[in-house]
Amino acid sequence: MVTVLDSPGLSSSHYRGLRDTIERIEDGVPGRLEITKEGLVHDLRSPVGPHAMTTALVGRRLEQVMPDGLLAHAGAPDVEDVDEGVLRRPDVIVMAERDMEGEGSFDPRTLLAAIEVVSRSNPDNDWVGKMRDYPLLGIPVYVIFDPRKGEGAVLSEIHQTPSGPRYAVRKDFVYGEDVTIGEWTISTEGLPRYP
């Protein structure tokens, strides 16, 4: 279940207040807390094996084909753009090791890709909300793995639209096919599905 506290057009002080609230309460709240243009999103999902396994396998497979100096990090990273009023937590981020130095959230514009594994309880967060937020944050490639259906999509080539930045290219795939993420191709063979 997801709760969105509606706050269109977050001011910077309102965003900072939401960010401070997340930092204070997140350890005692189940699920994930994120901030979007609409306000605070609380995804109450509970961890499930296929989600965690997909995250681990995709990260491992990417790191096997990427050059040294790049990582497929799956450690609950924050990516944040205070000016846009958006804080997201991708399941896997692909970025250079050097861009991971320092404290605090990662600059989303340093990411090479963001990867999400669709939650059984809240597919719209990945298929709608993050599809809107990630081009806004300047993340050049967004990949969705959906264990509900055994399929996914790779989105790329950000362009401007009247509704804001959006991905211009979408390449759908089904589990069992190879998928290209940025410059790297990995197998989707054997990725788990939700029962």
Side-chain angles (χ1 to χ4, degrees), residues 9 11 20 26 31 41 51 53 57-58 67 88 90 93 136 153 164 179:
S11 68
D20 291 344
E26 68 186 335
V41 175
H51 187 283
M53 180 65 82
L57 289 172
V58 168
R88 286 298 198 165
I93 59 173
L136 178 68
V179 61

Side-chain angles (χ1 to χ4, degrees), residues 2-82:
V2 171
T3 305
V4 177
L5 303 178
D6 191 22
S7 293
L10 292 175
S11 68
S12 61
S13 62
H14 191 189
Y15 175 81
R16 188 73 244 157
L18 287 174
R19 185 68 166 106
D20 291 344
T21 299
I22 287 175
E23 288 175 7
R24 279 195 319 274
I25 68 171
E26 68 186 335
D27 289 339
V29 174
R32 279 189 176 173
L33 295 169
E34 297 177 310
I35 304 170
T36 73
K37 290 299 229 181
E38 285 74 40
L40 187 64
V41 175
H42 181 201
D43 187 345
L44 294 174
R45 69 180 170 196
S46 57
V48 293
H51 187 283
M53 180 65 82
T54 302
T55 299
L57 289 172
V58 168
R60 181 185 307 152
R61 290 174 187 182
L62 271 170
E63 288 195 339
Q64 290 173 346
V65 297
M66 293 187 314
D68 289 342
L70 295 181
L71 292 174
H73 178 58
D78 289 353
V79 294
E80 178 177 36
D81 186 324
V82 175

Side-chain angles (χ1 to χ4, degrees), residues 122-186:
N122 182 25
D124 284 351
N125 192 34
D126 298 310
W127 282 109
V128 177
K130 291 178 182 179
M131 195 178 293
R132 176 200 61 236
D133 288 349
Y134 287 164
L136 178 68
L137 297 175
I139 298 171
V141 177
Y142 173 38
V143 186
I144 305 168
F145 288 85
D146 193 338
R148 297 172 311 144
K149 301 177 181 180
E151 61 188 29
V154 178
L155 298 114
S156 61
E157 297 187 27
I158 298 170
H159 71 115
Q160 291 297 323
T161 73
S163 300
R166 297 291 185 262
Y167 292 111
V169 175
R170 175 178 169 156
K171 295 181 181 178
D172 293 323
F173 62 89
V174 295
Y175 284 19
E177 296 179 331
D178 287 351
V179 61
T180 300
I181 299 170
E183 300 175 21
W184 311 283
T185 300
I186 63 169

Side-chain angles (χ1 to χ4, degrees), residues 50-124:
H51 187 283
M53 180 65 82
T54 302
T55 299
L57 289 172
V58 168
R60 181 185 307 152
R61 290 174 187 182
L62 271 170
E63 288 195 339
Q64 290 173 346
V65 297
M66 293 187 314
D68 289 342
L70 295 181
L71 292 174
H73 178 58
D78 289 353
V79 294
E80 178 177 36
D81 186 324
V82 175
D83 293 334
E84 291 294 344
V86 176
L87 167 76
R88 286 298 198 165
R89 294 179 167 157
D91 290 317
V92 179
I93 59 173
V94 178
M95 64 189 304
E97 289 176 14
R98 70 179 176 278
D99 292 327
M100 296 180 80
E101 296 173 0
E103 298 295 321
S105 298
F106 297 126
D107 178 350
R109 286 166 179 75
T110 64
L111 272 62
L112 303 173
I115 299 166
E116 296 289 356
V117 179
V118 173
S119 156
R120 186 176 11 206
S121 65
N122 182 25
D124 284 351

